[in-house]
């Protein structure tokens, strides 16, 4: 399934991997079975390198490079990559900023913490500690878990061996998925979510990392809840209004005469 996930991601403008590899779907906190399984740092920005290796090759057949920011407590994330649209999620809405600066908004998941990218950093509840290693120059504890083959309708999840490498600061350095050749999966693959192979892991990113640049003008499809007047710094350009879902949310500039024209 991983090769399909990476292929889909690489052929779209969105650099973020879709759900599947390393998504921690067996490790939500409410389902944790072992008290020792770490809950890793969940607020950071980093330069991600995601790689897929096929049939023992040491050269990745596919690779994604992007900046990922996650703030689990605020239910916010950002995903940006050079030459591609940028995505920002504020807990309720996804802001998609094109390379030409145009911005559109759509509603997010009702329970965003149970989907990518938040689930990328969850370790399976039944993972076990399996020694230490050095990964990307970091001394790490190695956590492993074997996920059994699963089939749900036409969807097949092959049996896979998961590895999580956690450093002394409780930061996830790398997530790894190994899949052996098996029925329905005619190849051997190894894939990484690598949080430390590039530079720039920041455990205390500014709030500005999770929203479009000041002055970005956005449009939104009609919905149910009208937006309200807000405060933007710097102020919006002439012909735009500073609006937000509620007064508690950070304001964004919209090309409207009245914030009530915007619904989300």
């Amino acid at each position: 399934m991983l090769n399909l996930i990476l292929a889909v991601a690489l052929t779209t403008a969105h650099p973020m991997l879709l759900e599947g590899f390393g998504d921690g779907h067996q490790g939500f906190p409410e389902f944790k079975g072992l008290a020792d399984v770490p809950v890793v740092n969940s607020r950071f920005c980093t330069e991600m390198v995601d790689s897929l290796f096929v049939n023992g090759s040491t050269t990745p057949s596919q690779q994604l490079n992007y900046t990922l920011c996650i703030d689990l407590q605020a239910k916010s994330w950002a995903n940006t990559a050079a030459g591609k649209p940028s995505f920002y999620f504020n807990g309720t809405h996804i802001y998609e900023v094109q390379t030409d600066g145009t911005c559109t908004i759509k509603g997010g998941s009702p329970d965003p913490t149970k989907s990518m990218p938040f689930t990328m950093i969850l370790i399976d509840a039944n993972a076990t500690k399996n020694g230490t290693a050095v990964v990307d120059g970091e001394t790490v504890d190695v956590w492993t878990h074997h996920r059994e083959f699963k089939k749900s309708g036409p969807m097949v999840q092959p049996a896979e061996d998961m590895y999580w490498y956690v450093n002394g600061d409780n930061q996830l350095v790398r997530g790894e998925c190994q899949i052996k050749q098996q029925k329905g999966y005619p190849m051997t693959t190894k894939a990484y979510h690598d949080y430390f192979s590039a530079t720039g892991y920041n455990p205390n990113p500014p709030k500005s990392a999770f929203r479009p640049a000041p002055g970005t003008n956005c449009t939104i499809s009609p919905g149910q809840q009208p937006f309200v007047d807000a405060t933007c710094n710097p102020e919006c350009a002439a012909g735009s209004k500073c609006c937000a879902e509620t007064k508690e949310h950070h304001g964004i500039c919209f090309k409207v005469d009245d914030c009530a024209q915007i619904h989300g």
Side-chain angles (χ1 to χ4, degrees):
M1 181 168 64
L2 177 58
N3 62 325
L4 173 62
I5 294 163
L6 279 165
V8 169
L10 283 166
T11 54
T12 65
H14 198 334
M16 186 179 68
L17 292 177
L18 304 179
E19 63 181 307
F21 160 51
D23 67 352
H25 59 84
Q26 299 176 13
F28 293 117
E30 61 264 41
F31 299 126
K32 292 184 71 61
L34 300 176
D36 291 339
V37 174
V39 177
V40 299
N41 178 45
S42 59
R43 188 176 193 276
F44 62 87
C45 283
T46 191
E47 302 299 317
M48 293 291 296
V49 180
D50 292 353
S51 306
L52 174 66
F53 300 85
V54 178
N55 293 333
S57 174
T58 57
T59 301
S61 62
Q62 297 172 351
Q63 193 167 74
L64 300 175
N65 298 80
Y66 57 100
T67 300
L68 175 66
C69 297
I70 290 179
D71 186 338
L72 180 61
Q73 184 174 2
K75 299 183 179 180
S76 299
W77 56 260
N79 188 305
T80 61
K84 296 180 180 180
S86 299
F87 296 82
Y88 304 88
F89 181 66
N90 67 357
T92 58
H93 289 76
I94 298 173
Y95 295 75
E96 180 177 349
V97 183
Q98 303 297 327
T99 54
D100 64 2
T102 58
C103 172
T104 56
I105 301 177
K106 62 180 180 180
S109 167
D111 193 353
T113 61
K114 287 184 169 57
S115 59
M116 293 284 276
F118 297 110
T119 51
M120 286 169 58
I121 59 173
L122 292 175
I123 298 175
D124 285 1
N126 293 320
T128 57
K129 188 176 178 181
N130 188 18
T132 61
V134 176
V135 174
D136 296 332
E138 297 279 322
T139 299
V140 296
D141 291 331
V142 182
W143 291 83
T144 65
H145 184 226
H146 177 75
R147 294 178 176 174
E148 298 291 347
F149 172 91
K150 288 185 178 181
K151 189 175 188 299
S152 178
M155 299 300 296
V156 173
Q157 178 185 301
E160 54 192 14
D161 292 301
M162 298 298 302
Y163 298 81
W164 297 269
Y165 303 93
V166 182
N167 69 13
D169 292 322
N170 214 39
Q171 297 161 344
L172 183 59
V173 175
R174 179 186 292 171
E176 179 179 336
C177 174
Q178 296 185 15
I179 304 177
K180 296 179 181 179
Q181 183 178 356
Q182 55 196 277
K183 183 178 180 180
Y185 198 85
M187 65 192 75
T188 296
T189 59
K190 180 185 292 186
Y192 300 145
H193 283 315
D194 210 327
Y195 301 80
F196 272 72
S197 68
T199 58
Y201 186 96
N202 180 3
N204 295 296
K207 291 182 179 180
S208 59
F210 297 89
R211 57 195 184 219
T216 302
N217 290 305
C218 300
T219 58
I220 190 169
S221 299
Q224 298 181 352
Q225 190 67 33
F227 277 36
V228 298
D229 290 347
T231 301
C232 291
N233 185 14
E235 295 181 355
C236 298
S240 297
K241 288 275 292 183
C242 183
C243 310
E245 296 97 318
T246 69
K247 290 190 177 296
E248 288 72 32
H249 281 83
H250 176 73
I252 296 291
C253 297
F254 295 87
K255 292 181 180 179
V256 294
D257 298 320
D258 187 343
C259 290
Q261 295 175 244
I262 306 167
H263 295 74

